[in-house]
Amino acid sequence: ENKNVLFGISPAGNINNVRNACLLDIDTILANKGYVDYIMPQIYWGFEHPTQPYKTCLANWQALVKEPSIKFIVGSTASNIASPSGEFIKNKNVFKQYLAHAKSTEKFDGICIFSVATLYGMFTAKLSSNEGVQQEMRNFLPLFKTLRNKKIEY
């Protein structure tokens, strides 16, 4: 154990697939100290998804975390706003809703958006010229900026 290094995993968002296809004993990992410092499930679905709606998926993952020292970070993807379908076409504040809901839950330590290259130019660091990305980020960033900077202790 190295006290200067954090170790975490970012499994697929569908818990049944994690258990059955990936053969990961996620229940043991998240119920005991010493396996991971944080969990960052890839919850890429929207609120209206027919089988993995965001709120349900988030709640199911959070319920698995029995070990209080394990931090919970929500993994999201920017590809939903860069190449939208379904609710991401009609609604340009899904990321804001993701954050608002996750922030309102008991077990929330942060959010990660994959990939920054979808949001910002890799060499320019300027916001994407994609209008959907620009609208989504205009809605998301004010709420994001209200988050307190939490340093996850080693």
Side-chain angles (χ1 to χ4, degrees):
E1 184 174 325
N2 185 335
K3 296 285 184 189
N4 296 315
V5 176
L6 289 173
F7 178 77
I9 58 174
S10 184
N14 186 315
I15 295 171
N16 288 330
N17 288 350
V18 170
R19 288 180 178 136
N20 301 320
C22 300
L23 302 177
L24 184 64
D25 188 354
I26 198 68
D27 301 278
T28 297
I29 290 169
L30 297 179
N32 296 284
K33 195 171 192 160
Y35 287 98
V36 296
D37 298 302
Y38 69 88
I39 181 77
M40 186 172 55
Q42 300 169 32
I43 305 175
Y44 292 177
W45 302 284
F47 291 90
E48 298 172 8
H49 192 275
T51 62
Q52 293 288 329
Y54 180 81
K55 285 183 180 181
T56 302
C57 192
L58 178 69
N60 290 342
W61 272 104
Q62 289 175 325
L64 290 179
V65 182
K66 307 287 190 227
E67 170 51 49
S69 68
I70 296 173
K71 303 300 181 194
F72 190 93
I73 301 168
V74 180
S76 302
T77 182
S79 64
N80 287 338
I81 58 175
S83 301
S85 63
E87 72 187 277
F88 295 92
I89 292 172
K90 64 183 179 184
N91 189 346
K92 298 301 179 197
N93 69 348
V94 176
F95 270 30
K96 180 182 176 181
Q97 290 178 50
Y98 277 172
L99 179 56
H101 178 70
K103 190 176 164 184
S104 75
T105 65
E106 186 178 319
K107 189 74 174 161
F108 172 76
D109 296 296
I111 188 167
C112 177
I113 301 172
F114 177 82
S115 152
V116 73
T118 305
L119 303 174
Y120 295 93
M122 289 181 61
F123 302 109
T124 65
K126 291 184 180 178
L127 186 60
S128 167
S129 61
N130 179 305
E131 190 172 320
V133 169
Q134 290 180 0
Q135 287 178 328
E136 189 78 41
M137 293 310 289
R138 276 194 300 272
N139 291 327
F140 171 77
L141 288 174
L143 181 60
F144 177 75
K145 290 177 181 178
T146 68
L147 292 177
R148 281 190 36 236
N149 187 4
K150 294 184 191 179
K151 181 178 183 211
I152 296 178
E153 298 295 325
Y154 295 106

